[in-house]
Amino acid sequence: MVKDKHEDISSSDNYRGITIGPVISKVFEVRLLDKFGSTLESNDLQLGFKKKLGCEPCVYLLQNVTDYFACKSSPVFIASLDASKAFDRINHEKLFVKLFERGAPRCFISVLEKRYSKLIFCVRWNGILGGVFRVVCGVRQRGRLSPFLFNIYVDKLLNLLSISGHGCQVGTVFYGCFMYADDLILLSPSLRSLQ
């Protein structure tokens, strides 16, 4: 599927894969989420894909942290990073290891391993289907579990940033970074801390 019709349609970077799956698969993922959702909780610095959160808290947080430092006559340096095709680049094996390390039940990981080991894709171009190939990275597009799995995958990054000693702090609370889905904002009172 073309992502941007105003961009170069001959570039493979301008296309997004479409997952076609049965409705029962979505229902199954909802049930998995109901049963194992507590093991999929992620860092509070990840504001994407969480109930009662959205873009507004990100904007609010950014504005309040910068206002706080401006009132103290301190600069705030901001770096905004967008991980290109982040959801498509999640290594399945590393994801399963991360789930195991955080104590997710073995039966849950096993179900995911089986589901992801059977992922196959093909390319359709002008009505012609290409060969089938196995997928070894990426989460299922529009899958109910996919945003939670992505959050788990990047959770360690947020944990490491929060204990790094770099970035903005208000009192004892770290506000040096936060994410909304695959968009990462870094905040620091010095340019050197961003490097």
Side-chain angles (χ1 to χ4, degrees):
M1 167 188 227
V2 175
K3 286 194 268 184
D4 188 344
K5 293 179 182 176
H6 302 296
E7 294 292 324
D8 181 9
I9 62 168
S10 65
S11 170
S12 62
D13 288 336
N14 194 23
Y15 285 84
R16 173 179 295 129
I18 298 173
T19 303
I20 301 171
V23 172
I24 193 70
S25 178
K26 290 182 191 253
V27 171
F28 182 64
E29 285 196 7
V30 168
R31 295 300 303 140
L32 286 174
L33 197 53
D34 288 343
K35 183 149 180 76
F36 301 109
S38 63
T39 64
L40 300 175
E41 292 176 6
S42 58
N43 193 303
D44 289 340
L45 296 171
Q46 170 60 273
L47 303 173
F49 313 116
K50 293 184 176 177
K51 289 180 182 178
K52 300 181 182 175
L53 292 176
C55 287
E56 294 83 10
C58 294
V59 173
Y60 177 81
L61 184 61
L62 182 61
Q63 183 176 3
N64 280 283
V65 171
T66 54
D67 287 349
Y68 174 84
F69 280 87
C71 287
K72 302 222 178 263
S73 299
S74 174
V76 176
F77 296 90
I78 301 171
S80 176
L81 308 170
D82 180 12
S84 176
K85 297 185 181 180
F87 286 78
D88 298 334
R89 297 175 191 253
I90 292 176
N91 179 292
H92 295 162
E93 291 304 315
K94 288 181 181 177
L95 173 64
F96 303 142
V97 168
K98 288 174 184 287
L99 287 166
F100 179 76
E101 289 173 348
R102 70 177 15 238
R106 183 69 194 131
C107 61
F108 175 60
I109 298 170
S110 184
V111 166
L112 291 177
E113 285 174 328
K114 293 265 191 265
R115 287 176 59 75
Y116 276 91
S117 71
K118 297 179 188 309
L119 279 182
I120 57 171
F121 282 78
C122 71
V123 175
R124 183 177 72 183
W125 186 258
N126 290 331
I128 299 171
L129 291 178
V132 173
F133 57 94
R134 187 171 171 264
V135 177
V136 294
C137 61
V139 289
R140 292 171 176 264
Q141 183 193 22
R142 295 188 181 152
R144 293 282 294 147
L145 285 171
S146 296
F148 298 93
L149 297 175
F150 175 80
N151 283 355
I152 297 304
Y153 198 76
V154 299
D155 214 41
K156 189 171 185 177
L157 170 65
L158 293 173
N159 292 335
L160 289 172
L161 287 170
S162 67
I163 62 170
S164 70
H166 300 289
C168 291
Q169 285 213 196
V170 177
T172 60
V173 181
F174 176 77
Y175 291 110
C177 72
F178 57 93
M179 287 186 84
Y180 184 79
D182 61 348
D183 296 313
L184 175 66
I185 300 287
L186 300 171
L187 302 163
S188 177
S190 74
L191 188 56
R192 183 174 205 158
S193 288
L194 283 179
Q195 298 174 337

